[in-house]
Amino acid sequence: METLKAEHISFGYNSKNMVLNDINFTMDNSMILGLFGDSGSGKSTFCKILTGFIDSYKGNVLLNNKSIENGFNPIQLIYQHPEKIMNPRWNMGDILKESWNPSEKILNEFGIKREWFNRYPSELSGGELQRFSILRALNPKTKFIIADEITTMLDAVTQVQIWDSLLKYAKKYNIGVLVVSHDDKLLNKITDRTILLDDLNKQ
Amino acid sequence: MFKNKKNNKPWFLYHANLRVKTLFIIIVASLILISIFLSNFFINPNTALTTDFSNINQAPSFEHIFGTDWMGRDMFVRTILGLGISIGVGAFASVISTIIAIILGSLSSVNSVADEFVASVIDLFGSIPHILLIILISISCGGGFYGVILGVGLTHWTPLARVLRAEIKKIKTTEFIKLSEQLGKSKWWIIKKHIFPLVISQIIVGVILMFPHAIMHEASISFLGFGLSPHEPAIGIILAEAMGYLSTGAWWLAFYPGLSLLFIVLLFDLIGENVHKLLNPQTTNT
Amino acid sequence: MNKLLEVDNLSIGFTQYFKGLKQRKLNVISDLTIDLYENEILAVLGSSGSGKSLLAHGILGILPPNAEVNGLMYYKNEELTDELKEKLRGNTISLIPQSVNYLNPLMKIKYQAIGYIEDESLKNEKLKKQEEIFERYNLDKTVGDMYPHQLSGGMARKVLISTALLNNPKIIIADEPTPGLDKKSVDETITDLIDLKDKGVSVILITHDIDTAIKTSDRIAILYLGYIIEVTETKNFKYNNENLLHPYTKALFNALPENGFKLTNGHQPSYLNIPKGCPYQDNCEYKTDKCLKKVPPLVKIGTSLVRCYYPIIN
């Protein structure tokens, strides 16, 4: 059992205006947990803090009660805009292999075609790019996935395809998933339990 | 119907897309510059520049298209040799400047103290008039060819260093660099694989656009007498000497060498701008 | 009901350079055919980043010069030429842009709202009208003197709507009005759009948010890879999928979390790799050789229009 814990997280872009105030949060890797918040409620900021994208916050992010070591971060972020976390001058094969080299079987499960490996990010559709960014995050060393509005920009059909592959994989390899969204209907459908960011955030 | 004509040289250029035209301009301009530079090695100044007092101060003619000087030397050969030296000085100086700019640009990305330091050094060098600084460095390094190269090379890195500092800063805040860190990649790996390939185009353009400045500054200080020694056939020297003869009506002594220098400078500018178009397609999408 | 606007076979493409000497053609809109009637809300539904905004820009005639545009458009049966577009733009047809980023950050709101007017008395008249409209949308008098960055999300949306209304338009094009808004503001936007219709304005709602489309519109046009694949009455989306005809539209309905979250295999390719033949072939379980060869035409079945050789009719 792996646990992800956030203790007394506070963060503000300036001192007057705190986005997050003393947040405490725990989840383990058997869970598909939902985190609901409206736009502007600070959920993206919270996701970035959990995954090390922002490091100037107060409080602690702990994995199994230890702080995160340098090197590969077992808590990986998947982002709303996959093109922003890909170097535009790299081809898709290099982008995926920056993390790991999945087997043909896994590529198939995620609906990724080998022929896309030679293309550049600007040559794939949003759904195709998001498949790559998800699979890249699912490195064998990954214990938790923080999925920040990952299907908001996609159509409903692609949304189902993406969640289906991600959640099946996560269950199989015991990866905990935090599903962050403003879409309560989606959260009810795919998560075991949903918490509200506003309840955690002591404003 | 135009498609069939595509391979019909030289008209294919008319139908080619902008990218091909750009490449064509770059190649032609580079060929001109390279041939001028290389001619320096093939023209033997001792035989080509014989003093011939029967032919002094001749106006331009088919035999001497740039005319001759007061010692009967062919001004065309002198100009070509002078331009060759200018390009050589420009090349050496650009290499020195680029190395300094890259070192300072990378240093600025280490931490905020280093960044402050780099910013102040850039401002310091930027605030002193170029010519003054070049003359000081050049003289303190003993003058001559190497003095000029050091003088020009040590002063022309500021714009490129400034661009690199800003560019590296911008790239470092992108999400894909942050992700790379979370994937456990080392700082050095990120610099090598992500940052460097993204700034290399800036560096190339910066270097090419540095040439015209370096060449002009070399010519200026040689003209003022602080640069290359008087027996080098540099453009600055030619122009300085020509000053004494202008009043006698020998306009061609200054006119053609000056025009050629301008031409070379404009060619470098042209190459720089077109290379920029080629390397940064997203900014030039028409 | 009278036809206000007719878009016939509209295609919009760009030729762009992307790496070195390579050039590529991007067909963002391949075949867009829609009609807008008086007093209706027509939703154009398509996934994000698909360049749906280009439809709005095409109707208003504000596409960038490197765009290749084909097809015809008519306003009240009169061909919508570039001159006519310019005449109607901002008066008869106006745009609610996606965000305040479309406003000039250095200009006070009220002057942007009325636009550039030289005549002093005309200007004061317009300013008066602007104040009235702002009041109607519960915007304080001081809002007119603010700059765009001082507006909150909800205020900004109201400013954009009231600005679009200033010249009594017949048609309003609302370009993605909901993303990035909290639930309360989304609901308000929906009320505002329906309110516009009640005032006699026709609305083209360009959106990727199927919920908003269902809650506001009378008809929905579904855009897939730059093709209109189905135009259907909104009520067909409300209870079951029986009256939806295109396999994609059915899949879309079934994929909604409230309708079963059903998985359909396949994937939606990028605009650079639009397949020959039917755009939906990669996901379609009913496809035959015919679908791979030629794009199906848009045909009328009942009250719907559908682009499919094998529409699913129960």
Side-chain angles (χ1 to χ4, degrees):
Chain A
M1 181 86 119
E2 317 266 351
T3 55
L4 169 62
K5 200 186 267 179
E7 288 179 341
H8 306 296
I9 300 283
S10 295
F11 180 83
Y13 288 98
N14 57 48
S15 53
K16 262 190 275 170
N17 198 336
M18 296 305 276
V19 183
L20 305 173
N21 209 353
D22 195 20
I23 289 188
N24 290 295
F25 165 86
T26 317
M27 73 180 286
D28 66 60
N29 66 338
S30 65
M31 284 179 176
I32 309 290
L33 185 66
L35 180 65
F36 175 85
D38 263 332
S39 37
S41 62
K43 16 174 211 157
S44 289
T45 309
F46 185 56
C47 292
K48 285 182 174 171
I49 286 171
L50 286 179
T51 51
F53 275 57
I54 292 178
D55 47 19
S56 55
Y57 58 90
K58 277 191 216 119
N60 298 305
V61 175
L62 304 170
L63 181 67
N64 300 328
N65 293 316
K66 283 188 285 239
S67 49
I68 314 288
E69 288 162 21
N70 281 337
F72 184 89
N73 191 341
I75 309 158
Q76 285 287 323
L77 177 70
I78 308 173
Y79 206 57
Q80 181 176 0
H81 306 281
E83 71 281 359
K84 284 194 183 162
I85 43 173
M86 293 176 177
N87 186 329
R89 301 260 172 131
W90 283 24
N91 69 31
M92 298 312 299
D94 289 340
I95 287 171
L96 183 57
K97 284 172 199 154
E98 188 179 3
S99 173
W100 66 306
N101 198 352
S103 69
E104 208 66 35
K105 190 170 155 274
I106 296 176
L107 289 180
N108 279 335
E109 281 168 14
F110 279 82
I112 292 177
K113 296 183 182 162
R114 261 279 155 206
E115 64 191 74
W116 299 348
F117 275 37
N118 296 323
R119 297 199 194 145
Y120 291 87
S122 64
E123 299 172 81
L124 294 186
S125 69
E128 290 166 351
L129 284 177
Q130 194 60 288
R131 284 165 219 253
F132 271 98
S133 100
I134 290 171
L135 192 50
R136 178 174 60 176
L138 291 171
N139 185 298
K141 286 179 271 179
T142 302
K143 306 279 183 245
F144 287 94
I145 288 285
I146 312 296
D148 182 12
E149 298 272 16
I150 65 172
T151 51
T152 307
M153 306 301 281
L154 304 171
D155 70 331
V157 175
T158 315
Q159 169 164 284
V160 181
Q161 292 167 352
I162 290 213
W163 282 114
D164 180 69
S165 352
L166 171 57
L167 296 181
K168 267 186 198 150
Y169 190 95
K171 280 279 174 224
K172 191 167 160 195
Y173 294 95
N174 275 319
I175 295 171
V177 181
L178 181 66
V179 184
V180 184
S181 178
H182 72 285
D183 185 348
D184 45 349
K185 285 187 245 167
L186 174 73
L187 291 174
N188 286 339
K189 194 77 205 173
I190 61 177
T191 61
D192 304 325
R193 194 161 65 83
T194 293
I195 48 176
L196 271 67
L197 184 62
D198 286 347
D199 291 348
L200 300 177
N201 205 355
K202 303 184 185 74
Q203 286 293 2
Chain B
M1 66 185 267
F2 289 116
K3 264 185 187 161
N4 305 332
K5 283 192 175 176
K6 252 194 171 169
N7 298 323
N8 232 349
K9 286 175 190 176
W11 292 108
F12 85 97
L13 267 183
Y14 183 76
H15 303 288
N17 68 33
L18 185 73
R19 233 9 91 85
V20 175
K21 286 177 188 159
T22 308
L23 199 66
F24 185 76
I25 294 172
I26 294 171
I27 292 172
V28 170
S30 312
L31 278 179
I32 297 174
L33 292 173
I34 290 169
S35 53
I36 290 174
F37 182 66
L38 289 181
S39 67
N40 236 10
F41 298 98
F42 295 111
I43 299 173
N44 185 342
N46 296 327
T47 52
L49 286 180
T50 44
T51 35
D52 178 359
F53 287 103
S54 59
N55 261 334
I56 59 167
N57 286 340
Q58 291 207 343
S61 63
F62 283 111
E63 202 184 337
H64 302 286
I65 53 170
F66 283 9
T68 61
D69 66 3
W70 70 98
M71 297 211 287
R73 293 176 298 187
D74 182 67
M75 281 309 288
F76 180 69
V77 177
R78 285 192 80 195
T79 303
I80 292 289
L81 288 175
L83 291 177
I85 289 182
S86 291
I87 295 174
V89 171
F92 275 116
S94 298
V95 169
I96 296 173
S97 279
T98 308
I99 293 172
I100 297 174
I102 293 176
I103 292 173
L104 286 178
S106 329
L107 185 66
S108 73
S109 71
V110 174
N111 59 37
S112 58
V113 180
D115 184 48
E116 281 291 310
F117 170 74
V118 170
S120 348
V121 173
I122 291 175
D123 285 345
L124 181 68
F125 270 77
S127 62
I128 306 173
H130 257 166
I131 289 283
L132 196 66
L133 204 58
I134 297 172
I135 293 173
L136 278 176
I137 297 175
S138 177
I139 291 177
S140 62
C141 292
F145 190 68
Y146 295 102
V148 171
I149 287 178
L150 279 176
V152 178
L154 291 176
T155 48
H156 280 73
W157 50 267
T158 44
L160 183 59
R162 197 171 275 146
V163 169
L164 285 181
R165 175 171 167 260
E167 192 65 18
I168 291 174
K169 253 194 181 147
K170 200 180 90 194
I171 296 172
K172 272 187 73 182
T173 58
T174 56
E175 311 283 349
F176 60 83
I177 299 291
K178 298 238 166 90
L179 183 93
S180 206
E181 286 165 4
Q182 298 310 316
L183 290 173
K185 304 296 178 193
S186 69
K187 256 195 167 146
W188 175 237
W189 194 94
I190 291 173
I191 290 174
K192 206 171 63 180
K193 299 278 185 173
H194 280 293
I195 299 180
F196 189 68
L198 286 169
V199 295
I200 185 77
S201 63
Q202 240 90 8
I203 293 177
I204 293 171
V205 174
V207 170
I208 297 172
L209 290 178
M210 214 183 277
F211 266 82
H213 282 264
I215 289 172
M216 285 302 234
H217 277 133
E218 177 270 318
S220 326
I221 63 162
S222 293
F223 177 80
L224 293 173
F226 298 106
L228 297 174
S229 66
H231 39 266
E232 304 265 10
I235 296 286
I237 305 286
I238 293 175
L239 291 176
E241 285 175 357
M243 292 303 285
Y245 294 87
L246 279 182
S247 52
T248 67
W251 53 272
W252 58 88
L253 290 181
F255 181 74
Y256 286 110
L259 200 66
S260 312
L261 183 68
L262 195 65
F263 177 65
I264 295 293
V265 165
L266 288 178
L267 273 185
F268 272 113
D269 246 359
L270 192 70
I271 296 178
E273 266 161 35
N274 282 295
V275 167
H276 176 72
K277 270 192 207 164
L278 209 57
L279 293 176
N280 298 297
Q282 57 273 45
T283 54
T284 46
N285 240 338
T286 40
Chain C
M1 281 224 281
N2 293 323
K3 217 181 253 184
L4 259 187
L5 187 76
E6 195 180 339
V7 179
D8 212 7
N9 273 316
L10 178 73
S11 71
I12 301 175
F14 295 93
T15 305
Q16 41 173 228
Y17 294 97
F18 70 114
K19 243 192 161 273
L21 294 166
K22 278 191 252 165
Q23 217 172 4
R24 64 184 176 189
K25 180 123 192 278
L26 205 62
N27 289 314
V28 187
I29 291 180
S30 295
D31 183 351
L32 198 142
T33 304
I34 50 167
D35 304 322
L36 179 71
Y37 290 92
E38 259 175 13
N39 218 6
E40 79 160 345
I41 300 181
L42 172 71
V44 177
L45 188 70
S47 54
S48 291
S50 65
K52 294 183 302 286
S53 306
L54 291 177
L55 165 65
H57 296 176
I59 293 172
L60 294 164
I62 50 172
L63 285 168
N66 63 330
E68 283 171 45
V69 188
N70 282 303
L72 290 172
M73 286 183 269
Y74 301 91
Y75 174 73
K76 288 189 171 168
N77 293 323
E78 187 184 348
E79 193 185 328
L80 202 49
T81 56
D82 287 347
E83 295 82 53
L84 187 60
K85 278 179 197 167
E86 203 180 322
K87 210 178 111 203
L88 300 182
R89 182 197 309 157
N91 299 313
T92 316
I93 306 178
S94 68
L95 175 74
I96 303 178
Q98 271 184 37
S99 72
V100 269
N101 295 342
Y102 280 73
L103 297 177
N104 180 347
L106 298 174
M107 202 172 171
K108 282 185 180 171
I109 295 292
K110 62 178 178 192
Y111 294 118
Q112 310 206 37
I114 60 167
Y116 178 71
I117 300 167
E118 209 161 323
D119 188 81
E120 203 60 40
S121 62
L122 213 66
K123 194 172 173 179
N124 288 331
E125 203 176 296
K126 267 272 147 67
L127 281 174
K128 218 167 154 193
K129 196 164 169 223
Q130 168 259 327
E131 274 176 21
E132 280 169 30
I133 291 184
F134 273 33
E135 210 180 303
R136 206 182 327 144
Y137 278 89
N138 292 323
L139 287 166
D140 200 80
K141 263 208 170 124
T142 54
V143 173
D145 287 316
M146 288 182 174
Y147 290 92
H149 73 270
Q150 294 170 297
L151 302 174
S152 72
M155 260 153 78
R157 201 195 63 260
K158 283 181 178 165
V159 164
L160 294 174
I161 293 180
S162 44
T163 303
L165 278 176
L166 200 60
N167 289 329
N168 294 324
K170 286 270 175 293
I171 300 174
I172 280 192
I173 305 173
D175 187 6
E176 292 278 18
T178 51
L181 295 181
D182 55 64
K183 209 169 179 66
K184 191 173 142 255
S185 304
V186 171
D187 289 340
E188 276 175 25
T189 309
I190 290 171
T191 325
D192 287 344
L193 286 172
I194 294 172
D195 182 53
L196 283 180
K197 187 180 86 168
D198 294 342
K199 289 201 177 79
V201 182
S202 292
V203 180
I204 299 180
L205 170 69
I206 298 176
T207 185
H208 80 282
D209 179 358
I210 197 164
D211 273 338
T212 311
I214 291 174
K215 280 181 192 151
T216 53
S217 66
D218 301 298
R219 288 186 303 146
I220 299 184
I222 291 121
L223 196 60
Y224 187 86
L225 280 186
Y227 288 91
I228 288 287
I229 54 155
E230 183 165 353
V231 183
T232 185
E233 287 179 9
T234 304
K235 63 175 197 283
N236 293 339
F237 259 102
K238 278 192 177 147
Y239 310 105
N240 56 46
N241 65 11
E242 276 173 17
N243 293 318
L244 299 173
L245 302 175
H246 196 283
Y248 175 71
T249 321
K250 267 210 181 359
L252 200 61
F253 181 90
N254 296 339
L256 293 176
E258 60 269 36
N259 297 339
F261 209 59
K262 188 171 164 280
L263 176 71
T264 310
N265 284 315
H267 77 283
Q268 183 169 344
S270 110
Y271 285 80
L272 287 166
N273 302 289
I274 298 174
K276 201 179 152 225
C278 176
Y280 186 61
Q281 55 183 265
D282 277 350
N283 293 36
C284 190
E285 49 180 315
Y286 307 105
K287 68 168 173 253
T288 62
D289 280 351
K290 194 176 167 190
C291 305
L292 306 184
K293 282 188 190 120
K294 200 165 169 277
V295 182
L298 202 58
V299 291
K300 197 167 172 74
I301 298 176
T303 53
S304 299
L305 289 168
V306 63
R307 187 187 297 281
C308 183
Y309 290 122
Y310 311 105
I312 308 158
I313 304 166
N314 290 37

